[in-house]
Amino acid sequence: MMKRQTKMGERRQTERSKLSNSSSIGIPRSRRQMLMNTNIPKKKEILVEYRTYCEKILGEIEGLFQLLSDLEEKYLLITKKTGELHNSCNLLVQEQDSLVRYAENLQNKLEYFNQLPKLTQQLMAPGLMVYDLGDILIKLDSCIEFISKNHEFRDSDVYLMKYRQLQMRALSLIKNEILNSMKTTTNSIIQQVKTLPENSANSQVENLKTQLETHFYLKFRTLAQKLKPLISQIETRANISEYLILLNDCQTCYFQQRRALLQASVQKTIQDLIAKMSDLSDLLRAGCRTMIDLCYNEYQLFLHFFSTESTGIILLLDDFGTILYSNIRPLYIRTNNIETLRQLISLLKSEVIDQQRGKSAELFAGVVMRMQEDIQERLLFLTQKYIEHEIIDFQPTPSDLDYPAKLQGVPEGETIKDDSELMPYKRINTSWYPTLERSLICASKLYTSIDTMIFENLATEIIQECTESLIRASKIISVKSPLDGKLFLIRHLLILREQIGAFEVNFLSTASALDFSHMRGAMHKILSVPRSLFALSHENPLLFVVMPMLEVKDVDPKKILERELKLALESLILAGTKTAIDPLLSFLTKVTAFKGSKTGEQVNLKAQSFASAESVSKMLDEVSVKMENDLPPLLEKICQYITNTSTQTIIYKPMRDQISESLKEIQDFIQELFQLENRVELMEKSERLYQLIERKLHENSQKTLASPLVMEPENAPMGIPMGIPEEMYQTSPNLDNNNP
């Protein structure tokens, strides 16, 4: 406004200056010419006249400027009042909008209260259809939710109570409709099944799937199409406690009706299967297949009614599975055959657990695991009993200990059976001691049938007891023939070591035992210092008496086996060396004893009768005769027990080394003690003994032929599947250079 006044003032001043500077403005040109031509007095009059005229014009102009100034002031005033009026209008419009919004908000909030009579009238209408309650439930839920959040409104508690009463009435109508529909359908199916002829019912039992499809599922699937909209509305509002309770009630009723409808039929079906099938494997297979089909159908039917998961379906199907479990369990619990139980475990793993996929198999998996655990427990009990009766308490017959005659095997076409009640089987390799074959067969049957940790503990016991039984049998055979006893033990320990290598488990277990060794010192302290009984410290000897120490030891049957094998091999090598050069060993023993007692003077030793040239020559001749006569039978017997040439070579090598060392000692003795004429003859005889032992070993290796019952180790299969195959029995034991 101030800028505008300033600009108008400046404009008015400019116009005044223009008028002042141009006084001739408004005088005609002719008058100016005449003024110039007149005399001075006349000019003065004219100029005065013009001045008066100009002052008059200036006065008029000043009046005009004053009018313009007044007009400007009025304009500014009007502009100011117009702005104030505009601002007032804006404030009024804002207030109007605020009042409109407040009125609308108030109307919206009042709508939640105004719905009460409408909803009450709708729910109390005599012709109300339950399936039309969807919109009513939506309005009730929104009203209850709004009033619950706005307790400060007047009479909100009263309206909330009335709305909840209407909600409970609506939910009760839905609940009654759903529950009554399910119960009516169940009763109609039961009555329909009762009216079936007896022979028709029997045919349905034979084909349970057809029966379930025609009677137990068709009507419920039709009912599901009718009830699904109501149940869906309940499930979508399951976050509200009232709807969640209603959903649980509907599911509980559904499970009760399905249980009442199917329980008797499932029980009868399982009993008919038991009556018709004598083979336990076929019965378990058919029962599991039936239950899996039932679980699949029940789960699919459940999804027709409900969209949310429920623990009730798991409990329902577990109840049906328990029917199978309770009927079949007494059968396999009474089974006394290890092979039958192993087949049942294999069936459950390969045909039920591994092959079956999907939700139905998952729901039935709990029952399968219970059956599997029971069968494994029974299998472990029978295995312990088998180990005790057939391995630990095994009493061999004379034919079981008839070695080496048993190494010839049985005539072709003749079979020998092990008629053990717990695990009968056909003996494939009769040259094996029975406990060895039983141990390996038992371990192979358990290898894939039980858990690895349980198998490790059980296999450790089997190997340990088998090793001890072989040692006991070796001692009995050694009474008749010590060499046969040693070779028997070596042969069977080698076979056992070779075969257990195929089991990819850790043969290591822990054994716990109470250690009472410290009790003697504790009792001595009590008797010597009676007051120590009342000592209030850990040094009180009474604590050592009442609390024995627990000693835990690691048991490794493979190390025990290796130790026994090493001892047996050392004993065999010593016996073989003694058989070949016994006179030489006796002579060297006498020389060593004489030197130790007489300080080894050569004159005195040469003077002894056993150290004369004639005695040494005679001794060397005896060694030669013994090598010719006794060594070949020994080597043949070794080849008879151990037919693998590489194993024979490993056994021969330390025997050859010991003989060579003894011959070197006698040659050193000859070089030291005798004169040249006797020395040459004796050295020639000792050299012939070198050649003789090499020739006998070479001849024996040429005569050795591979046994038809034994394969070379590198060609032998190492895997031991369930049920030992014939190839496993053809595996020959091997002995590496690192483990004699």
Side-chain angles (χ1 to χ4, degrees), residues 465-483:
E465 297 300 338
C466 178
T467 303
E468 294 179 0
S469 70
L470 294 175
I471 295 174
R472 291 195 297 268
S474 173
K475 292 179 180 179
I476 298 175
I477 296 174
S478 297
V479 174
K480 179 181 177 182
S481 173
L483 182 60

Side-chain angles (χ1 to χ4, degrees), residues 169-182:
R169 175 175 173 77
L171 296 181
S172 299
L173 293 174
I174 295 176
K175 178 180 178 180
N176 294 334
E177 175 66 19
I178 295 175
L179 270 57
N180 292 335
S181 299
M182 290 182 179

Side-chain angles (χ1 to χ4, degrees), residues 236-274:
T236 55
R237 300 177 178 86
N239 58 329
I240 303 175
S241 59
E242 291 80 6
Y243 287 91
L244 182 59
I245 295 173
L246 176 59
L247 179 61
N248 292 334
D249 292 341
C250 294
Q251 290 181 348
T252 302
C253 179
Y254 171 81
F255 297 135
Q256 290 175 351
Q257 301 308 310
R258 298 306 300 173
R259 187 177 286 106
L261 188 61
L262 291 173
Q263 193 164 11
S265 178
V266 173
Q267 178 74 25
K268 189 176 188 310
T269 301
I270 299 302
Q271 291 177 352
D272 288 347
L273 289 175
I274 295 174

